[in-house]
Amino acid sequence: MVITARWGILMGLINVVVSWAMLTVLMGPWLSFFPAVQFGSLGLTAGFLLKKGKSSGRIIAAGIIVSMLVVGIILYFPMLMGIFHEEGMGAFYGRANAVLEAWEEAGLLEQFEEQGISRDEIERSLRAAVVWTVNLLPSIIATYSAASSFCNFLGARAVLLRKGCEVPKFPPFSEWRVPWYSSWVVILGLGLALLGDYIKAQSLFVIGLNLLILYIPAAFTIGLAVGANFYNRIKSHFVKLIILITALIYLPFTAVMLLFLGVFDPLLNFRKLQSKNDQGSEGL
């Protein structure tokens, strides 16, 4: 990302090829292919946009999209296609059976049976966990892509700043926000989940659940930013200390409250932050 931002996309491509060659020596061609393609494409995209002077939000968003496409194409879709064959889910169930056998050798199954939990119940639970892991892979991949894009951008921005290069402005944590229309992710996800559960349509329920799970980390982060903004406005250190201790004591309630703040902040703009067009938040 840094090389692309400073010297252009051609030097970035050369750096990706050299990095892949070095990883191939250490890990082999196949194991090194995925990190080289994922982080290479992410670095090229973000570096190109950095060089063009795009905003932080657009660079992070582009990185998320590219990372999701690469991870999805390389990992998710081939695995999904394999699931439609008989050996597909069998491989996943084989892992679950291996876990069950390891528990049996360790004597854990006997302890479960003493508590009234049979081996069949444990096996059904493990199989259900496998199915739900596969169903929720899209949201897992999307969350991983978002975290990867965000961390890579922050790292590259810090390096470029130390080198004296111009970088896009990045707001302090207390002013982080997402566009108002991101609330539609929650509305759509909740609607599809409820509709799928009501009409017994598993596919709709899974899609809605993936959307909700995808938005939870972003909502919680924005909720923390809202809380930090109001916390910083308090002048009294004693009041700040009382609020902090209370929040830690009632941590589950605090987490839920921050989550709700993050969900509704794009619509209600609790901090009264102004965007460039004075019409609400536009994100980073």
Short mmCIF file of all heavy atoms in Angstrom, two decimals, residues 108-152:
data_model
loop_
_atom_site.label_atom_id
_atom_site.label_comp_id
_atom_site.label_asym_id
_atom_site.label_seq_id
_atom_site.Cartn_x
_atom_site.Cartn_y
_atom_site.Cartn_z
N LEU A 108 -14.13 -36.28 28.62
CA LEU A 108 -15.14 -35.23 28.79
C LEU A 108 -16.55 -35.75 28.56
O LEU A 108 -17.51 -35.27 29.19
CB LEU A 108 -14.85 -34.07 27.82
CG LEU A 108 -13.58 -33.26 28.09
CD1 LEU A 108 -13.36 -32.22 27.01
CD2 LEU A 108 -13.67 -32.59 29.46
N LEU A 109 -16.69 -36.74 27.64
CA LEU A 109 -18.02 -37.26 27.36
C LEU A 109 -18.63 -37.92 28.59
O LEU A 109 -19.84 -37.82 28.82
CB LEU A 109 -17.97 -38.26 26.20
CG LEU A 109 -17.71 -37.67 24.80
CD1 LEU A 109 -17.78 -38.76 23.74
CD2 LEU A 109 -18.71 -36.57 24.48
N GLU A 110 -17.80 -38.59 29.37
CA GLU A 110 -18.31 -39.21 30.59
C GLU A 110 -18.84 -38.16 31.56
O GLU A 110 -19.87 -38.37 32.21
CB GLU A 110 -17.19 -40.03 31.25
CG GLU A 110 -16.73 -41.23 30.41
CD GLU A 110 -15.62 -41.98 31.10
OE1 GLU A 110 -15.25 -41.58 32.24
OE2 GLU A 110 -15.14 -42.98 30.53
N GLN A 111 -18.14 -37.04 31.65
CA GLN A 111 -18.60 -35.96 32.53
C GLN A 111 -19.93 -35.39 32.04
O GLN A 111 -20.82 -35.08 32.83
CB GLN A 111 -17.55 -34.86 32.60
CG GLN A 111 -16.22 -35.32 33.21
CD GLN A 111 -15.21 -34.19 33.27
OE1 GLN A 111 -15.55 -33.02 33.18
NE2 GLN A 111 -13.94 -34.56 33.43
N PHE A 112 -20.07 -35.26 30.70
CA PHE A 112 -21.33 -34.76 30.16
C PHE A 112 -22.47 -35.74 30.43
O PHE A 112 -23.60 -35.33 30.74
CB PHE A 112 -21.20 -34.52 28.65
CG PHE A 112 -20.40 -33.29 28.30
CD1 PHE A 112 -19.38 -33.35 27.37
CD2 PHE A 112 -20.69 -32.07 28.89
CE1 PHE A 112 -18.65 -32.23 27.04
CE2 PHE A 112 -19.95 -30.94 28.57
CZ PHE A 112 -18.93 -31.02 27.65
N GLU A 113 -22.16 -37.03 30.28
CA GLU A 113 -23.20 -38.04 30.51
C GLU A 113 -23.64 -38.08 31.98
O GLU A 113 -24.80 -38.33 32.28
CB GLU A 113 -22.68 -39.41 30.07
CG GLU A 113 -22.57 -39.55 28.55
CD GLU A 113 -21.94 -40.87 28.13
OE1 GLU A 113 -21.50 -41.62 29.04
OE2 GLU A 113 -21.88 -41.16 26.92
N GLU A 114 -22.69 -37.81 32.88
CA GLU A 114 -23.05 -37.73 34.30
C GLU A 114 -24.00 -36.56 34.57
O GLU A 114 -24.79 -36.60 35.51
CB GLU A 114 -21.78 -37.59 35.14
CG GLU A 114 -20.92 -38.85 35.15
CD GLU A 114 -19.62 -38.64 35.91
OE1 GLU A 114 -19.40 -37.48 36.37
OE2 GLU A 114 -18.82 -39.60 36.04
N GLN A 115 -23.92 -35.54 33.73
CA GLN A 115 -24.80 -34.38 33.87
C GLN A 115 -26.11 -34.55 33.09
O GLN A 115 -26.92 -33.62 33.03
CB GLN A 115 -24.08 -33.12 33.39
CG GLN A 115 -22.84 -32.79 34.21
CD GLN A 115 -22.06 -31.62 33.63
OE1 GLN A 115 -22.52 -30.94 32.72
NE2 GLN A 115 -20.87 -31.38 34.16
N GLY A 116 -26.29 -35.71 32.48
CA GLY A 116 -27.53 -35.99 31.76
C GLY A 116 -27.51 -35.63 30.29
O GLY A 116 -28.56 -35.59 29.64
N ILE A 117 -26.32 -35.35 29.74
CA ILE A 117 -26.20 -35.00 28.31
C ILE A 117 -25.61 -36.20 27.59
O ILE A 117 -24.47 -36.60 27.85
CB ILE A 117 -25.29 -33.77 28.12
CG1 ILE A 117 -25.81 -32.59 28.96
CG2 ILE A 117 -25.23 -33.38 26.65
CD1 ILE A 117 -24.89 -31.38 28.95
N SER A 118 -26.37 -36.78 26.67
CA SER A 118 -25.93 -37.99 25.97
C SER A 118 -24.98 -37.65 24.82
O SER A 118 -24.89 -36.49 24.38
CB SER A 118 -27.14 -38.75 25.42
OG SER A 118 -27.78 -37.99 24.41
N ARG A 119 -24.31 -38.68 24.33
CA ARG A 119 -23.39 -38.51 23.20
C ARG A 119 -24.14 -38.05 21.95
O ARG A 119 -23.64 -37.22 21.18
CB ARG A 119 -22.67 -39.83 22.93
CG ARG A 119 -21.69 -39.76 21.75
CD ARG A 119 -21.19 -41.14 21.36
NE ARG A 119 -20.35 -41.07 20.19
CZ ARG A 119 -19.02 -40.99 20.21
NH1 ARG A 119 -18.39 -40.97 21.38
NH2 ARG A 119 -18.32 -40.93 19.09
N ASP A 120 -25.34 -38.59 21.73
CA ASP A 120 -26.13 -38.21 20.55
C ASP A 120 -26.48 -36.72 20.58
O ASP A 120 -26.46 -36.05 19.54
CB ASP A 120 -27.40 -39.04 20.46
CG ASP A 120 -27.10 -40.51 20.15
OD1 ASP A 120 -26.01 -40.77 19.59
OD2 ASP A 120 -27.95 -41.36 20.46
N GLU A 121 -26.82 -36.21 21.75
CA GLU A 121 -27.16 -34.79 21.87
C GLU A 121 -25.95 -33.91 21.56
O GLU A 121 -26.08 -32.89 20.88
CB GLU A 121 -27.68 -34.49 23.27
CG GLU A 121 -29.05 -35.09 23.57
CD GLU A 121 -29.47 -34.87 25.01
OE1 GLU A 121 -28.58 -34.72 25.88
OE2 GLU A 121 -30.68 -34.84 25.26
N ILE A 122 -24.78 -34.32 22.04
CA ILE A 122 -23.57 -33.56 21.77
C ILE A 122 -23.24 -33.59 20.28
O ILE A 122 -22.87 -32.57 19.69
CB ILE A 122 -22.39 -34.12 22.60
CG1 ILE A 122 -22.67 -33.96 24.09
CG2 ILE A 122 -21.09 -33.43 22.22
CD1 ILE A 122 -21.64 -34.60 24.97
N GLU A 123 -23.40 -34.78 19.67
CA GLU A 123 -23.11 -34.90 18.25
C GLU A 123 -24.06 -34.04 17.42
O GLU A 123 -23.63 -33.39 16.46
CB GLU A 123 -23.24 -36.37 17.83
CG GLU A 123 -22.80 -36.63 16.39
CD GLU A 123 -22.78 -38.10 16.06
OE1 GLU A 123 -23.04 -38.93 16.97
OE2 GLU A 123 -22.49 -38.44 14.90
N ARG A 124 -25.35 -34.01 17.78
CA ARG A 124 -26.30 -33.17 17.06
C ARG A 124 -25.95 -31.69 17.22
O ARG A 124 -26.08 -30.90 16.28
CB ARG A 124 -27.72 -33.43 17.56
CG ARG A 124 -28.33 -34.73 17.06
CD ARG A 124 -29.84 -34.74 17.26
NE ARG A 124 -30.20 -34.64 18.68
CZ ARG A 124 -30.38 -35.68 19.48
NH1 ARG A 124 -30.23 -36.92 19.01
NH2 ARG A 124 -30.72 -35.52 20.75
N SER A 125 -25.50 -31.32 18.42
CA SER A 125 -25.12 -29.92 18.66
C SER A 125 -23.91 -29.53 17.81
O SER A 125 -23.87 -28.42 17.25
CB SER A 125 -24.82 -29.71 20.14
OG SER A 125 -25.95 -29.96 20.94
N LEU A 126 -22.93 -30.43 17.72
CA LEU A 126 -21.75 -30.14 16.91
C LEU A 126 -22.10 -30.02 15.43
O LEU A 126 -21.60 -29.14 14.72
CB LEU A 126 -20.69 -31.22 17.12
CG LEU A 126 -19.95 -31.20 18.45
CD1 LEU A 126 -19.03 -32.40 18.58
CD2 LEU A 126 -19.15 -29.91 18.60
N ARG A 127 -22.99 -30.91 14.97
CA ARG A 127 -23.41 -30.83 13.57
C ARG A 127 -24.18 -29.55 13.29
O ARG A 127 -24.01 -28.92 12.23
CB ARG A 127 -24.26 -32.06 13.21
CG ARG A 127 -23.46 -33.34 13.03
CD ARG A 127 -24.35 -34.54 12.77
NE ARG A 127 -23.55 -35.72 12.45
CZ ARG A 127 -23.28 -36.13 11.22
NH1 ARG A 127 -23.75 -35.45 10.20
NH2 ARG A 127 -22.56 -37.20 11.02
N ALA A 128 -25.01 -29.14 14.23
CA ALA A 128 -25.74 -27.88 14.07
C ALA A 128 -24.77 -26.70 14.04
O ALA A 128 -24.96 -25.74 13.28
CB ALA A 128 -26.75 -27.71 15.20
N ALA A 129 -23.73 -26.77 14.88
CA ALA A 129 -22.73 -25.71 14.90
C ALA A 129 -22.01 -25.62 13.56
O ALA A 129 -21.72 -24.52 13.06
CB ALA A 129 -21.72 -25.95 16.02
N VAL A 130 -21.73 -26.79 12.95
CA VAL A 130 -21.08 -26.81 11.64
C VAL A 130 -21.97 -26.14 10.60
O VAL A 130 -21.52 -25.31 9.79
CB VAL A 130 -20.75 -28.26 11.23
CG1 VAL A 130 -20.36 -28.33 9.76
CG2 VAL A 130 -19.64 -28.82 12.09
N VAL A 131 -23.25 -26.49 10.60
CA VAL A 131 -24.20 -25.92 9.62
C VAL A 131 -24.30 -24.41 9.78
O VAL A 131 -24.27 -23.65 8.80
CB VAL A 131 -25.58 -26.58 9.78
CG1 VAL A 131 -26.61 -25.87 8.91
CG2 VAL A 131 -25.52 -28.05 9.40
N TRP A 132 -24.39 -23.94 11.03
CA TRP A 132 -24.53 -22.51 11.26
C TRP A 132 -23.24 -21.76 10.93
O TRP A 132 -23.28 -20.61 10.49
CB TRP A 132 -24.95 -22.23 12.69
CG TRP A 132 -26.43 -22.35 12.86
CD1 TRP A 132 -27.13 -23.32 13.50
CD2 TRP A 132 -27.41 -21.45 12.33
NE1 TRP A 132 -28.48 -23.10 13.42
CE2 TRP A 132 -28.68 -21.95 12.70
CE3 TRP A 132 -27.35 -20.28 11.58
CZ2 TRP A 132 -29.86 -21.32 12.34
CZ3 TRP A 132 -28.52 -19.65 11.22
CH2 TRP A 132 -29.75 -20.17 11.60
N THR A 133 -22.10 -22.40 11.13
CA THR A 133 -20.83 -21.77 10.74
C THR A 133 -20.79 -21.54 9.24
O THR A 133 -20.38 -20.47 8.77
CB THR A 133 -19.64 -22.65 11.18
OG1 THR A 133 -19.67 -22.81 12.59
CG2 THR A 133 -18.33 -22.01 10.76
N VAL A 134 -21.23 -22.54 8.49
CA VAL A 134 -21.27 -22.39 7.02
C VAL A 134 -22.28 -21.32 6.63
O VAL A 134 -22.02 -20.49 5.74
CB VAL A 134 -21.62 -23.74 6.36
CG1 VAL A 134 -21.83 -23.57 4.86
CG2 VAL A 134 -20.52 -24.76 6.62
N ASN A 135 -23.44 -21.30 7.28
CA ASN A 135 -24.47 -20.31 6.95
C ASN A 135 -24.03 -18.88 7.22
O ASN A 135 -24.42 -17.95 6.51
CB ASN A 135 -25.75 -20.60 7.75
CG ASN A 135 -26.50 -21.82 7.25
OD1 ASN A 135 -26.36 -22.22 6.09
ND2 ASN A 135 -27.30 -22.42 8.12
N LEU A 136 -23.22 -18.70 8.26
CA LEU A 136 -22.81 -17.36 8.67
C LEU A 136 -21.45 -16.95 8.10
O LEU A 136 -20.92 -15.89 8.46
CB LEU A 136 -22.76 -17.27 10.20
CG LEU A 136 -24.09 -17.48 10.92
CD1 LEU A 136 -23.90 -17.41 12.42
CD2 LEU A 136 -25.12 -16.46 10.47
N LEU A 137 -20.91 -17.76 7.19
CA LEU A 137 -19.62 -17.42 6.60
C LEU A 137 -19.61 -16.07 5.88
O LEU A 137 -18.62 -15.34 5.95
CB LEU A 137 -19.18 -18.53 5.63
CG LEU A 137 -18.29 -19.62 6.22
CD1 LEU A 137 -17.96 -20.65 5.16
CD2 LEU A 137 -17.01 -19.03 6.78
N PRO A 138 -20.69 -15.69 5.16
CA PRO A 138 -20.65 -14.38 4.50
C PRO A 138 -20.40 -13.23 5.47
O PRO A 138 -19.58 -12.35 5.18
CB PRO A 138 -22.05 -14.28 3.86
CG PRO A 138 -22.46 -15.69 3.62
CD PRO A 138 -21.89 -16.46 4.77
N SER A 139 -21.09 -13.22 6.62
CA SER A 139 -20.88 -12.14 7.57
C SER A 139 -19.49 -12.23 8.21
O SER A 139 -18.87 -11.21 8.51
CB SER A 139 -21.96 -12.16 8.65
OG SER A 139 -21.95 -13.39 9.36
N ILE A 140 -19.00 -13.45 8.42
CA ILE A 140 -17.66 -13.62 8.98
C ILE A 140 -16.61 -13.07 8.01
O ILE A 140 -15.68 -12.35 8.40
CB ILE A 140 -17.39 -15.10 9.30
CG1 ILE A 140 -18.34 -15.59 10.39
CG2 ILE A 140 -15.93 -15.32 9.71
CD1 ILE A 140 -18.28 -17.08 10.63
N ILE A 141 -16.77 -13.40 6.72
CA ILE A 141 -15.84 -12.91 5.71
C ILE A 141 -15.90 -11.39 5.60
O ILE A 141 -14.87 -10.71 5.51
CB ILE A 141 -16.14 -13.57 4.35
CG1 ILE A 141 -15.76 -15.06 4.38
CG2 ILE A 141 -15.38 -12.87 3.22
CD1 ILE A 141 -16.15 -15.81 3.14
N ALA A 142 -17.11 -10.84 5.63
CA ALA A 142 -17.27 -9.39 5.51
C ALA A 142 -16.64 -8.67 6.70
O ALA A 142 -15.98 -7.64 6.54
CB ALA A 142 -18.75 -9.04 5.39
N THR A 143 -16.84 -9.21 7.91
CA THR A 143 -16.26 -8.60 9.10
C THR A 143 -14.74 -8.67 9.06
O THR A 143 -14.05 -7.69 9.39
CB THR A 143 -16.78 -9.31 10.36
OG1 THR A 143 -18.21 -9.26 10.38
CG2 THR A 143 -16.24 -8.66 11.62
N TYR A 144 -14.22 -9.81 8.65
CA TYR A 144 -12.77 -9.95 8.51
C TYR A 144 -12.21 -8.97 7.47
O TYR A 144 -11.17 -8.34 7.68
CB TYR A 144 -12.43 -11.38 8.11
CG TYR A 144 -11.01 -11.56 7.62
CD1 TYR A 144 -9.95 -11.60 8.52
CD2 TYR A 144 -10.74 -11.68 6.26
CE1 TYR A 144 -8.66 -11.76 8.06
CE2 TYR A 144 -9.45 -11.83 5.80
CZ TYR A 144 -8.41 -11.87 6.71
OH TYR A 144 -7.12 -12.02 6.25
N SER A 145 -12.93 -8.81 6.35
CA SER A 145 -12.49 -7.89 5.30
C SER A 145 -12.48 -6.46 5.79
O SER A 145 -11.56 -5.69 5.49
CB SER A 145 -13.41 -8.02 4.08
OG SER A 145 -13.40 -9.35 3.57
N ALA A 146 -13.52 -6.08 6.55
CA ALA A 146 -13.59 -4.72 7.08
C ALA A 146 -12.43 -4.44 8.04
O ALA A 146 -11.77 -3.39 7.96
CB ALA A 146 -14.92 -4.49 7.79
N ALA A 147 -12.17 -5.39 8.94
CA ALA A 147 -11.08 -5.22 9.90
C ALA A 147 -9.74 -5.16 9.19
O ALA A 147 -8.86 -4.35 9.53
CB ALA A 147 -11.10 -6.35 10.93
N SER A 148 -9.57 -6.01 8.17
CA SER A 148 -8.31 -6.05 7.42
C SER A 148 -8.08 -4.75 6.68
O SER A 148 -6.98 -4.17 6.73
CB SER A 148 -8.34 -7.23 6.43
OG SER A 148 -7.18 -7.25 5.65
N SER A 149 -9.11 -4.25 6.00
CA SER A 149 -8.98 -2.99 5.26
C SER A 149 -8.69 -1.82 6.19
O SER A 149 -7.82 -0.98 5.91
CB SER A 149 -10.27 -2.73 4.48
OG SER A 149 -10.23 -1.47 3.84
N PHE A 150 -9.39 -1.77 7.30
CA PHE A 150 -9.23 -0.66 8.25
C PHE A 150 -7.83 -0.65 8.85
O PHE A 150 -7.16 0.39 8.90
CB PHE A 150 -10.28 -0.78 9.34
CG PHE A 150 -10.30 0.37 10.30
CD1 PHE A 150 -10.80 1.60 9.92
CD2 PHE A 150 -9.80 0.23 11.59
CE1 PHE A 150 -10.81 2.67 10.80
CE2 PHE A 150 -9.81 1.30 12.47
CZ PHE A 150 -10.31 2.52 12.08
N CYS A 151 -7.36 -1.81 9.31
CA CYS A 151 -6.03 -1.88 9.94
C CYS A 151 -4.92 -1.58 8.94
O CYS A 151 -3.94 -0.89 9.27
CB CYS A 151 -5.83 -3.25 10.57
SG CYS A 151 -6.89 -3.58 11.99
N ASN A 152 -5.05 -2.08 7.71
CA ASN A 152 -4.04 -1.81 6.69
C ASN A 152 -4.00 -0.32 6.34
O ASN A 152 -2.92 0.24 6.14
CB ASN A 152 -4.33 -2.63 5.44
CG ASN A 152 -3.77 -4.03 5.52
OD1 ASN A 152 -2.61 -4.27 5.21
ND2 ASN A 152 -4.58 -4.97 5.95
#
